[in-house]
Amino acid sequence: MKKIILSYILFFVCFSVIKAEDGHQLWLRFDKIQNTENFFSGIISSNEFVANEFQQSWKKMSGFNLHKKNKLSDNVLVIGTIKDRLIKSLGLEKALKPLGKEGYLIKTIRKKNQNYTVVAGNSAAGELYGMYHLLRLLQTNEFSYNLNISELPTYAHRLLNHWDNLDRTVERGYAGYSIWKWDELPATVSPLYQEYARANASIGINGTVLNNVNASPLILTKEYLEKVRVIAAELRPFNLKVYLSINFSSPKELGGLADSDPLNPDVQKWWKEKAKDIYNLIPDFGGFLVKANSEGLPGPMDYGRTHVDGANMIADAVKPYGGIVMWRAFVYDPDGDDRAKQAYREFKPFDGKFRDNVIIQLKNGPVDFQPREPFSPLFGAMEKTPIMAELQITQEYLGFSNHIAYLAPMWKECLDSDTYAKGAGSTVAKTTDGSIFPQKITAIAGVANIGEDRNWCGNHFAQANWYAYGRLAWDYNLTSEEIAEEWIKMTFTKEENFLKPVKELLLSSRESVVKYMMPMGLHHLFAWGHHYGPEPWCDVPGARPDWLPKYYHNANEVGLGFDRTTEGSNAVSQYNSPLKEQFNDIKTCPENLLLWFHHVPWNYKMKSGKSMWDELCYTYDSGVQEVRKYQKVWDKMEKYVDKERFKHIQSRLKIQSKDAVWWKDACLLYFQQFSQMPIPYDIERPIWDLEELMQIKLDMKHHN
Amino acid sequence: MKKIILSYILFFVCFSVIKAEDGHQLWLRFDKIQNTENFFSGIISSNEFVANEFQQSWKKMSGFNLHKKNKLSDNVLVIGTIKDRLIKSLGLEKALKPLGKEGYLIKTIRKKNQNYTVVAGNSAAGELYGMYHLLRLLQTNEFSYNLNISELPTYAHRLLNHWDNLDRTVERGYAGYSIWKWDELPATVSPLYQEYARANASIGINGTVLNNVNASPLILTKEYLEKVRVIAAELRPFNLKVYLSINFSSPKELGGLADSDPLNPDVQKWWKEKAKDIYNLIPDFGGFLVKANSEGLPGPMDYGRTHVDGANMIADAVKPYGGIVMWRAFVYDPDGDDRAKQAYREFKPFDGKFRDNVIIQLKNGPVDFQPREPFSPLFGAMEKTPIMAELQITQEYLGFSNHIAYLAPMWKECLDSDTYAKGAGSTVAKTTDGSIFPQKITAIAGVANIGEDRNWCGNHFAQANWYAYGRLAWDYNLTSEEIAEEWIKMTFTKEENFLKPVKELLLSSRESVVKYMMPMGLHHLFAWGHHYGPEPWCDVPGARPDWLPKYYHNANEVGLGFDRTTEGSNAVSQYNSPLKEQFNDIKTCPENLLLWFHHVPWNYKMKSGKSMWDELCYTYDSGVQEVRKYQKVWDKMEKYVDKERFKHIQSRLKIQSKDAVWWKDACLLYFQQFSQMPIPYDIERPIWDLEELMQIKLDMKHHN
């Protein structure tokens, strides 16, 4: 250990950026930057909160606070809103107009041989986001006196969904217990709440659903709403609105009503009163997220009603207060038809029937957050009903917080997918942001990967996904690379020898996970329940068929994959032309989705010239080799990183490296029973016997 | 699984050699060979037993028995001894003379346009060994009518040492419980005994020590001797003599004497009577093996006597019956001096003082059966006392029965080492076979790897070590390659596509183990007690220092290795010139023993130009890569092997592959704490954290 300690001390002397580090600061480290004494002569701001937020981080970077000024002088920093006379006097009104409530300008204004750096918005929210943007420019060495930045967010509602239970377990959470300390609220207020709010504000997230979509009715009790009120108060200064997931049976469970039928006037009344109570406590309460008639949860169909009946009833209750209802389309019944088709089948007929404060929340893919899915065909299919994408930041299906998988490329892959809903260029993003369909509400949701762990996300690199989600929710036109670069510079170092290889690692990391877990369109080969590790053989007596991997991979002596062509489940028909034809034809179907749409013979010749089986083997193996490469890359970074984060990531990569081999061996050895073909002999051989892998039963729950 | 079954059936049709196989037949499979109908016209033999043994295997190869003949005819097979008139009449007396009791001739004799194949010895033992040699020729397609073979063994006593306890556990045994079923003896006689005897006879082994050197006095009770008598009777037809390990305290423990002092006349008398009893039961009893004053066992030094006193007393007891005493030199006290020096220090002064029926049994290396040691300097150091090498067939320090390590190269390395005892060419082999020093007894011992497992050795490939030991004991001039080739042909197939790669695998396998376990002269980094897996950090409070890895590796900030030079323990001085000078000088010391003899700075420049640390890293890694290569080699062999043995070996190689990485990671990460140098970045990175490896405590005993 001496060497490591020694070099740490040396580096600490040379570059103060390297210090022992638990990652709690996220991307808001604000390490020292150079020449700060010349940047600003002082600060003018009518918003004390925003000015203080700035000063706090500025002091970390510069070592000193800026003097408050009352009038313009050379190099002064001005932060304000359109309501400030100073901002108007600088002639920014016109430029601010199209930026809406949350947009902002960051401009260098030259007057009388003086430079003013101006951050201006139409509201305190705009100021706030602009101020964080300025901090980012400073921290990443992008600050100059030639700034002319104008930003407004893509989506109006940029939400985190916490799958946090009231007992503080987190469904699919891999970073410790929930940050919401229900047991000590409202009396005790954790400092985590404001830290959390700041982190979200710094990347533009403006709403958070505090509790699990598998919701307990208890969240709507007086007792809990009082706790929610306190959290809301902590988040409010950071422009972060609170939302709640509700249980559709709440009127019956909590209110003692006979049922929760949406057409029952008592039920409607109950919801209206509940909404009133909530808005009395939290005037800016955002609204409700509803998972209904899905995976055993109650819903309107329990009473012979429809999603429309249910959603509209709740929408009516919050409407007077400006609240919205996010109604999840993640529904599927074990009815024998292809699960991938059900959201479309169930919701498409309701287009235009929802209230205007309802938005349909739809997972990116038609099944369930798999490492790779095609986009859900419901995107672009509803012209009169707003749809919002639900992305999963927590890595339920991508190695939990053990595997490094930078997810911006996965989300961009969905958002950039062309639905052809209104001709070419109708990307998923554009079908949801109001630019193709007129929609009053635009929104996006990300299932949070946040917990009580000191580093928030269980893995330092998983912070990049929280960051990337926020940045993409703000502006989906950002590239994965731009976001990765920002994040690395903010979170680690701007040193090029670190930035370049680590950025490359991040950018390819999700594809590596796809390769060693489920390449070529394979999906849902995960272990039962907890979803960690491979179980393509999984067979639980009496289980729903669509909860078993065999439902999805259909391995047999002929081949592998799910026939969703016109000859099969005909899921392709839910896509617009030319996609439906492209997906339907094995020759034109993208090879990275081949086994999603086709049951492909083992000997089928791929574009590489290899048989499907050989390609599968080589792809699994390349995933393993890529993780090994990441280990090499990371180990070389030792001198650029503090010891703690270096060791943490190094250790996680070791797990990932082992797991990649586990995945490869499990899937290839299992499928080999059907392919009856040898694993190509130039590929590294399995180190496990199928029999022993089949005996692995990890003692894990689906919540932490 | 269908593919495998299918191809198995296909191959069964084509080549009958492939069939489901549990390995119990060892190298005595005697698969069908071609054209057998023309080989022999009949058989002439006065030895029914030998003739039957031949016919039994011949029938497997040919499908029929040979007719018994009374007189010579073309192509007849003659098996006989010099006492047979027919053998004399064929003029073989002169050629047989120098071949001793166990030697034999295999000759094609041409007379009157007829060919006779003649197997002849001076005794039934010679006939027997010659007959097995002929079978080997037939099975390996080496039979012809131009045979002119003349063989005699190198060592008179070619022994297995069973470390089998009376409760049927086997110390360092990895193939199930002992084959000696003491509990059911003498009433029930397992067929294993004769199968075992046949296997040994087929490779020339002529003696076996039935019980562990850590001997229970009980073996000398009447009850047990009666059981031994029955085993001896089963082994006798196969020229396999029985020996016993004794506990030096037996007179006290069993006889009720006050002590076991070798100068106590009552003790001497007790041994004489015990010998008499044994020889009454077993007239051809071989003698005793004694571990005395070693690792807590009793011995003459408990009474202030010497090894000479002890050994001679026992020798006197068995002398009248032709018995011998094998007195082990594996002694070491925790007296502070280098353990590697102690056998030499303790025994060298006694040279010439032992009775002529005593032989000193000495492990090949000065420490303890490590993957690589230099030869023990006691070889060649005793001119008037016979020494026999003790080799370890069971893989106590080479991965148990999990790792494939063909040990002929390791044993040859020792036997071929030049001791320079009488000038250049005084190899260890020659210092023990009577060719340099006049000695009445010559012997060699191998610690057996045999147990009750159906495949005898726990791993099909471990059978090769039993085979190789026997063949080398018979003739140490055989090359490792010749032996491997014989064994593969007998045990698997003569198919060149199998023979060549598998032979190469075997030949390099032990060196691979050295590389991933203990390269460059490292030794004894094993886990405490059971010796499976790495524990270079092992520190057991209160343990003997020389039972701890740190005693041997001496890792510190300066470097690694045991300084045995003149500046250190001076163990080099026990070697003859020029070895002592060569080992003493870091520049001339063989690099594969560097850390055995030197404490080498981490930065020391190796012949490759690399630093010692880098060389260590690359060597460990190359061990890992080589095992992975073996996996590839073996997987390609699938079509040449029966399914059962293919899967068995495949599965073991998987374990070996995992273990190799375990070893590499454990040793490099542990030593890195001292070297304070990075593992070269082009090497595959560790997949384990040192901390987790240090927590591994396998639930294993040192016996199975």
Side-chain angles (χ1 to χ4, degrees):
Chain A
M1 303 305 262
K2 295 244 164 117
K3 163 71 176 333
I4 298 164
I5 292 163
L6 189 72
S7 65
Y8 155 63
I9 293 166
L10 274 173
F11 274 91
F12 189 76
V13 172
C14 307
F15 318 101
S16 62
V17 296
I18 298 192
K19 57 184 175 187
E21 168 70 68
D22 61 14
H24 190 70
Q25 297 178 89
L26 295 161
W27 47 88
L28 302 171
R29 297 163 56 87
F30 297 112
D31 289 321
K32 279 265 191 309
I33 53 173
Q34 304 299 311
N35 305 320
T36 45
E37 60 279 9
N38 303 320
F39 280 14
F40 304 118
S41 59
I43 182 169
I44 303 176
S45 176
S46 62
N47 187 328
E48 275 292 312
F49 178 79
V50 172
N52 281 345
E53 275 292 306
F54 180 81
Q55 292 271 29
Q56 207 172 298
S57 302
W58 167 258
K59 191 173 179 185
K60 285 194 197 169
M61 289 188 279
S62 68
F64 59 90
N65 277 324
L66 294 178
H67 292 292
K68 289 191 192 174
K69 301 269 180 176
N70 293 315
K71 44 184 276 202
L72 292 169
S73 60
D74 194 24
N75 289 350
V76 77
L77 170 62
V78 182
I79 304 179
T81 71
I82 195 63
K83 288 170 202 132
D84 296 327
R85 205 168 351 134
L86 184 56
I87 297 298
K88 279 186 189 150
S89 73
L90 288 168
L92 295 173
E93 217 163 349
K94 197 178 157 198
L96 275 169
K97 200 146 207 179
L99 301 183
K101 197 170 69 83
E102 298 183 316
Y104 56 84
L105 298 170
I106 306 176
K107 265 181 96 74
T108 311
I109 295 184
R110 272 196 189 100
K111 267 191 181 172
K112 308 174 200 162
N113 285 331
Q114 292 187 335
N115 285 323
Y116 316 135
T117 300
V118 182
V119 176
N122 290 311
S123 70
E127 273 180 301
L128 188 75
Y129 294 137
M131 178 272 297
Y132 287 123
H133 192 148
L134 176 62
L135 285 173
R136 187 163 64 232
L137 294 175
L138 289 163
Q139 179 68 108
T140 57
N141 285 354
E142 303 286 332
F143 176 74
S144 75
Y145 296 119
N146 291 303
L147 297 174
N148 189 7
I149 292 166
S150 152
E151 292 259 342
L152 83 171
T154 319
Y155 296 103
H157 300 80
R158 304 173 300 279
L159 280 82
L160 284 183
N161 286 184
H162 286 265
W163 287 0
D164 296 19
N165 299 312
L166 302 187
D167 63 2
R168 298 193 56 223
T169 59
V170 180
E171 186 167 334
R172 314 305 180 182
Y174 315 108
Y177 285 99
S178 171
I179 55 170
W180 313 123
K181 305 190 175 186
W182 299 110
D183 44 340
E184 59 184 44
L185 279 164
T188 303
V189 181
S190 166
L192 279 179
Y193 306 154
Q194 285 216 358
E195 292 169 3
Y196 164 85
R198 176 178 297 112
N200 280 320
S202 75
I203 51 176
I205 291 170
N206 69 357
T208 180
V209 184
L210 299 181
N211 62 321
N212 192 353
V213 288
N214 294 318
S216 163
L218 290 180
I219 192 68
L220 295 184
T221 59
K222 266 199 172 158
E223 184 195 347
Y224 271 94
L225 289 175
E226 189 54 38
K227 299 170 195 272
V228 173
R229 185 188 64 78
V230 172
I231 294 174
E234 291 295 298
L235 310 190
R236 188 169 295 116
F238 294 92
N239 197 44
L240 190 60
K241 272 190 188 172
V242 158
Y243 299 70
L244 293 176
S245 293
I246 55 153
N247 184 298
F248 198 80
S249 270
S250 297
K252 185 177 164 194
E253 305 279 336
L254 286 188
L257 301 192
D259 56 49
S260 298
D261 183 346
L263 300 196
N264 176 347
D266 290 340
V267 171
Q268 294 167 0
K269 188 171 159 235
W270 188 90
W271 281 111
K272 284 189 170 146
E273 280 170 11
K274 186 53 74 181
K276 190 175 160 196
D277 292 345
I278 292 172
Y279 280 94
N280 269 338
L281 288 168
I282 310 158
D284 59 352
F285 180 74
F288 293 131
L289 171 61
V290 193
K291 176 176 179 178
N293 291 120
S294 168
E295 297 182 323
L297 283 179
M301 287 140 97
D302 301 345
Y303 307 100
R305 316 303 178 191
T306 67
H307 289 297
V308 174
D309 297 328
N312 288 352
M313 170 194 60
I314 313 271
D316 289 342
V318 295
K319 175 83 179 176
Y321 315 99
I324 64 169
V325 171
M326 297 164 286
W327 193 269
R328 287 176 98 237
F330 180 65
V331 293
Y332 59 105
D333 288 316
D335 66 355
D337 198 0
D338 181 0
R339 169 173 167 183
K341 291 165 63 183
Q342 298 193 38
Y344 183 100
R345 274 176 42 218
E346 212 162 307
F347 278 84
K348 167 89 173 156
F350 296 133
D351 190 17
K353 303 211 160 76
F354 291 99
R355 297 282 189 271
D356 65 358
N357 61 334
V358 173
I359 186 166
I360 303 302
Q361 181 165 321
L362 180 61
K363 293 189 183 184
N364 55 297
V367 169
D368 190 11
F369 296 141
Q370 298 302 294
R372 168 162 282 122
E373 298 191 38
F375 70 90
S376 168
L378 195 56
F379 286 114
M382 295 179 84
E383 308 203 353
K384 291 171 247 160
T385 306
I387 291 187
M388 64 188 284
E390 177 180 318
L391 309 174
Q392 196 181 40
I393 309 170
T394 192
Q395 293 170 226
E396 174 180 358
Y397 295 104
L398 289 115
F400 294 11
S401 57
N402 284 338
H403 295 204
I404 291 170
Y406 172 60
L407 298 180
M410 183 170 84
W411 299 328
K412 293 272 295 179
E413 188 173 298
C414 171
L415 293 170
D416 294 347
S417 292
D418 199 338
T419 68
Y420 294 92
K422 292 283 175 185
S426 307
T427 61
V428 167
K430 289 187 178 165
T431 65
T432 54
D433 72 354
S435 60
I436 289 181
F437 304 119
Q439 56 188 77
K440 278 182 68 178
I441 318 175
T442 65
I444 190 165
V447 181
N449 63 347
I450 296 162
E452 211 184 11
D453 280 3
R454 274 302 284 172
N455 68 18
W456 296 92
C457 303
N459 180 326
H460 294 288
F461 272 6
Q463 297 175 354
N465 291 328
W466 180 4
Y467 185 89
Y469 167 72
R471 298 288 290 128
L472 282 177
W474 181 272
D475 180 4
Y476 61 69
N477 289 312
L478 288 168
T479 67
S480 299
E481 185 174 359
E482 285 165 341
I483 298 170
E485 187 158 330
E486 273 178 23
W487 179 78
I488 294 168
K489 285 178 173 173
M490 302 277 286
T491 311
F492 285 98
T493 171
K494 295 172 280 290
E495 168 67 53
E496 189 63 22
N497 291 330
F498 181 93
L499 180 62
K500 190 168 175 291
V502 172
K503 192 173 68 182
E504 281 169 9
L505 187 165
L506 286 181
L507 287 171
S508 58
S509 59
R510 173 261 184 159
E511 196 64 38
S512 299
V513 177
V514 171
K515 286 177 185 171
Y516 64 69
M517 280 188 184
M518 270 158 275
M520 295 162 62
L522 284 172
H523 49 293
H524 230 315
L525 309 182
F526 294 95
W528 178 263
H530 55 70
H531 298 163
Y532 193 81
E535 267 186 25
W537 50 80
C538 178
D539 193 6
V540 175
R544 283 176 59 159
D546 57 352
W547 283 1
L548 295 176
K550 289 174 188 180
Y551 177 92
Y552 301 97
H553 65 64
N554 293 291
N556 60 19
E557 284 167 45
V558 176
L560 181 67
F562 199 132
D563 184 358
R564 293 190 165 108
T565 68
T566 47
E567 305 297 307
S569 81
N570 199 21
V572 293
S573 69
Q574 295 183 337
Y575 291 90
N576 295 309
S577 289
L579 288 181
K580 63 171 80 177
E581 295 79 10
Q582 189 190 335
F583 291 155
N584 194 54
D585 184 348
I586 193 168
K587 293 291 171 204
T588 55
C589 182
E591 289 197 339
N592 65 9
L593 289 172
L594 194 65
L595 305 176
W596 184 282
F597 286 113
H598 295 268
H599 191 252
V600 180
W602 298 107
N603 269 315
Y604 175 76
K605 197 169 170 184
M606 303 289 289
K607 292 192 180 100
S608 65
K610 295 191 184 80
S611 69
M612 183 271 278
W613 166 252
D614 279 6
E615 183 103 339
L616 195 72
C617 294
Y618 282 107
T619 308
Y620 269 105
D621 188 63
S622 69
V624 170
Q625 303 307 331
E626 284 169 21
V627 178
R628 293 213 184 122
K629 199 185 70 190
Y630 299 157
Q631 289 189 281
K632 287 183 183 177
V633 168
W634 184 250
D635 278 5
K636 278 189 228 174
M637 297 301 111
E638 186 166 6
K639 60 183 164 190
Y640 305 111
V641 201
D642 51 279
K643 184 182 145 201
E644 284 165 324
R645 288 190 296 174
F646 174 76
K647 292 269 288 182
H648 172 93
I649 299 288
Q650 185 186 50
S651 186
R652 294 307 170 108
L653 277 167
K654 289 173 177 179
I655 297 172
Q656 189 170 6
S657 192
K658 276 179 286 207
D659 285 355
V661 172
W662 176 23
W663 270 99
K664 171 195 155 200
D665 285 5
C667 295
L668 293 186
L669 292 174
Y670 174 73
F671 291 136
Q672 191 178 30
Q673 297 177 110
F674 303 96
S675 83
Q676 306 182 3
M677 294 162 80
I679 297 167
Y681 292 112
D682 54 346
I683 289 178
E684 193 176 304
R685 314 316 291 167
I687 60 168
W688 299 103
D689 283 328
L690 181 58
E691 298 71 24
E692 57 188 341
L693 293 176
M694 289 176 73
Q695 278 162 25
I696 294 176
K697 291 283 168 211
L698 298 178
D699 184 24
M700 288 178 167
K701 297 191 178 63
H702 68 288
H703 57 71
N704 69 343
Chain B
M1 304 303 265
K2 295 246 162 116
K3 163 73 177 333
I4 297 165
I5 292 163
L6 189 72
S7 64
Y8 154 63
I9 292 165
L10 274 172
F11 275 90
F12 189 76
V13 172
C14 306
F15 318 102
S16 62
V17 296
I18 298 191
K19 57 185 175 186
E21 167 70 67
D22 60 14
H24 190 70
Q25 296 178 90
L26 296 161
W27 48 88
L28 302 172
R29 298 164 55 86
F30 298 112
D31 288 321
K32 279 265 191 307
I33 53 174
Q34 304 299 311
N35 304 320
T36 45
E37 59 278 10
N38 302 320
F39 280 13
F40 304 118
S41 58
I43 182 170
I44 304 177
S45 176
S46 61
N47 187 328
E48 276 291 313
F49 178 79
V50 172
N52 281 345
E53 275 293 303
F54 180 81
Q55 292 270 31
Q56 208 172 296
S57 302
W58 167 257
K59 191 172 180 185
K60 285 194 197 171
M61 290 188 279
S62 68
F64 59 90
N65 276 325
L66 295 177
H67 292 291
K68 288 191 194 176
K69 302 269 180 175
N70 291 317
K71 43 185 274 198
L72 293 170
S73 60
D74 194 24
N75 290 348
V76 77
L77 169 62
V78 183
I79 304 179
T81 71
I82 195 64
K83 287 172 203 129
D84 295 327
R85 211 174 340 146
L86 183 58
I87 298 297
K88 279 187 191 152
S89 74
L90 288 168
L92 294 173
E93 216 162 351
K94 198 180 155 197
L96 275 170
K97 201 145 208 182
L99 301 184
K101 196 168 69 83
E102 297 183 317
Y104 56 83
L105 298 171
I106 306 176
K107 265 180 96 74
T108 312
I109 294 184
R110 276 200 185 95
K111 268 193 179 168
K112 305 175 201 157
N113 285 330
Q114 293 188 334
N115 285 323
Y116 315 135
T117 300
V118 183
V119 176
N122 290 310
S123 70
E127 272 180 301
L128 188 74
Y129 294 138
M131 178 273 297
Y132 287 123
H133 192 146
L134 176 64
L135 286 174
R136 187 162 64 232
L137 295 175
L138 289 163
Q139 179 69 108
T140 57
N141 284 354
E142 302 287 331
F143 176 76
S144 75
Y145 296 119
N146 289 303
L147 297 173
N148 189 7
I149 292 165
S150 151
E151 292 259 344
L152 83 171
T154 318
Y155 296 104
H157 300 81
R158 304 174 300 279
L159 280 83
L160 285 183
N161 286 185
H162 285 266
W163 286 0
D164 296 18
N165 299 311
L166 302 187
D167 63 2
R168 297 194 57 222
T169 60
V170 180
E171 185 167 333
R172 314 304 180 183
Y174 315 108
Y177 286 99
S178 172
I179 54 170
W180 313 121
K181 305 192 175 184
W182 299 111
D183 45 340
E184 59 182 45
L185 279 164
T188 303
V189 182
S190 164
L192 279 179
Y193 306 153
Q194 284 217 359
E195 291 169 3
Y196 164 85
R198 176 178 297 112
N200 280 319
S202 76
I203 51 175
I205 290 170
N206 69 356
T208 180
V209 184
L210 298 182
N211 62 321
N212 191 353
V213 287
N214 294 318
S216 162
L218 288 180
I219 191 68
L220 295 184
T221 58
K222 265 196 173 164
E223 184 194 348
Y224 271 94
L225 289 175
E226 188 55 38
K227 298 169 194 273
V228 173
R229 186 187 64 76
V230 171
I231 293 175
E234 290 295 297
L235 310 189
R236 189 169 292 117
F238 295 92
N239 196 44
L240 189 60
K241 271 190 189 173
V242 157
Y243 300 68
L244 293 176
S245 293
I246 55 154
N247 184 298
F248 199 79
S249 269
S250 297
K252 187 178 162 191
E253 305 279 336
L254 284 188
L257 302 192
D259 58 47
S260 298
D261 183 346
L263 300 197
N264 175 348
D266 290 342
V267 171
Q268 293 167 0
K269 189 172 158 232
W270 188 90
W271 282 111
K272 283 187 170 147
E273 279 170 10
K274 186 53 72 180
K276 191 175 158 194
D277 292 347
I278 294 172
Y279 280 94
N280 268 338
L281 288 169
I282 310 157
D284 58 352
F285 180 73
F288 293 131
L289 171 61
V290 193
K291 177 177 179 179
N293 291 120
S294 169
E295 298 183 323
L297 283 179
M301 286 141 97
D302 300 346
Y303 308 100
R305 316 303 178 192
T306 67
H307 289 297
V308 175
D309 298 329
N312 287 352
M313 171 193 61
I314 313 271
D316 289 342
V318 295
K319 174 82 178 176
Y321 316 98
I324 64 168
V325 171
M326 298 165 287
W327 193 267
R328 286 175 99 236
F330 180 65
V331 293
Y332 59 105
D333 287 316
D335 65 356
D337 198 0
D338 180 0
R339 170 174 167 184
K341 290 164 64 183
Q342 298 194 39
Y344 182 100
R345 273 176 43 218
E346 213 164 305
F347 277 83
K348 165 88 173 159
F350 295 135
D351 188 18
K353 302 208 160 75
F354 292 99
R355 298 282 188 271
D356 66 358
N357 62 332
V358 172
I359 186 165
I360 303 303
Q361 181 165 320
L362 181 61
K363 292 189 182 183
N364 56 297
V367 169
D368 189 13
F369 296 141
Q370 299 301 294
R372 168 163 281 124
E373 298 190 40
F375 69 90
S376 168
L378 195 56
F379 286 114
M382 295 179 85
E383 308 201 352
K384 291 171 246 159
T385 307
I387 290 187
M388 63 189 283
E390 178 179 317
L391 309 174
Q392 197 180 41
I393 308 169
T394 192
Q395 293 170 227
E396 173 179 358
Y397 294 105
L398 288 115
F400 293 12
S401 57
N402 283 338
H403 295 203
I404 291 170
Y406 171 60
L407 298 180
M410 183 171 85
W411 300 329
K412 293 274 295 181
E413 189 172 297
C414 172
L415 294 170
D416 294 346
S417 291
D418 200 338
T419 67
Y420 294 93
K422 292 284 178 186
S426 307
T427 61
V428 167
K430 288 187 177 166
T431 65
T432 53
D433 73 353
S435 58
I436 289 181
F437 303 119
Q439 57 188 76
K440 278 181 68 177
I441 318 177
T442 65
I444 190 166
V447 181
N449 64 347
I450 296 162
E452 211 184 11
D453 280 3
R454 274 305 283 173
N455 67 19
W456 297 91
C457 302
N459 180 325
H460 293 288
F461 272 6
Q463 297 175 354
N465 291 328
W466 180 6
Y467 185 89
Y469 167 73
R471 298 289 288 129
L472 282 177
W474 180 273
D475 180 4
Y476 61 69
N477 290 312
L478 288 169
T479 66
S480 299
E481 185 174 357
E482 285 165 342
I483 298 170
E485 186 158 331
E486 273 179 23
W487 178 79
I488 294 168
K489 285 177 173 174
M490 303 276 287
T491 311
F492 285 98
T493 171
K494 294 171 281 288
E495 168 67 53
E496 189 64 20
N497 291 332
F498 181 93
L499 180 62
K500 191 167 174 291
V502 173
K503 191 173 69 182
E504 282 169 9
L505 187 165
L506 286 180
L507 287 171
S508 58
S509 58
R510 174 262 184 158
E511 196 64 36
S512 299
V513 176
V514 171
K515 285 177 186 171
Y516 64 69
M517 280 188 185
M518 272 160 272
M520 294 163 63
L522 284 172
H523 49 294
H524 230 315
L525 308 182
F526 294 94
W528 178 263
H530 55 69
H531 298 163
Y532 194 80
E535 268 186 24
W537 49 80
C538 178
D539 193 6
V540 176
R544 284 176 59 159
D546 57 352
W547 283 0
L548 295 175
K550 289 174 188 180
Y551 178 90
Y552 300 98
H553 65 65
N554 293 290
N556 60 18
E557 285 167 44
V558 177
L560 181 67
F562 198 133
D563 184 358
R564 293 189 165 109
T565 68
T566 47
E567 305 296 307
S569 81
N570 200 22
V572 294
S573 69
Q574 295 182 338
Y575 291 91
N576 295 308
S577 290
L579 288 181
K580 66 171 79 178
E581 295 79 9
Q582 189 190 336
F583 291 155
N584 194 54
D585 183 349
I586 194 170
K587 293 292 169 202
T588 55
C589 181
E591 289 197 338
N592 65 10
L593 290 172
L594 194 66
L595 305 176
W596 183 281
F597 286 113
H598 295 268
H599 191 253
V600 180
W602 298 108
N603 270 314
Y604 175 77
K605 196 170 171 184
M606 304 289 290
K607 293 191 179 100
S608 66
K610 294 190 184 81
S611 70
M612 183 271 279
W613 165 251
D614 279 5
E615 183 104 340
L616 196 71
C617 294
Y618 282 108
T619 308
Y620 269 105
D621 187 64
S622 69
V624 170
Q625 303 307 331
E626 284 168 21
V627 178
R628 294 214 183 121
K629 198 186 71 191
Y630 299 156
Q631 289 189 279
K632 289 183 181 175
V633 168
W634 184 252
D635 278 4
K636 278 189 227 172
M637 298 301 110
E638 187 166 6
K639 60 183 164 189
Y640 305 110
V641 201
D642 51 280
K643 184 182 145 200
E644 285 165 325
R645 288 190 295 173
F646 174 76
K647 292 271 287 181
H648 172 95
I649 298 289
Q650 185 186 49
S651 186
R652 294 307 170 110
L653 276 167
K654 289 173 177 178
I655 297 172
Q656 188 170 6
S657 193
K658 277 180 285 207
D659 285 356
V661 172
W662 176 22
W663 270 98
K664 172 195 155 202
D665 285 5
C667 295
L668 292 186
L669 292 173
Y670 174 74
F671 291 135
Q672 192 179 29
Q673 297 177 111
F674 302 97
S675 83
Q676 305 182 3
M677 294 161 80
I679 297 167
Y681 292 113
D682 55 345
I683 289 178
E684 192 176 305
R685 313 316 291 167
I687 59 168
W688 299 103
D689 284 328
L690 182 57
E691 298 69 26
E692 58 189 340
L693 292 176
M694 289 177 72
Q695 278 161 26
I696 294 176
K697 292 283 168 210
L698 298 178
D699 184 24
M700 288 179 166
K701 297 190 179 64
H702 68 288
H703 58 73
N704 70 343

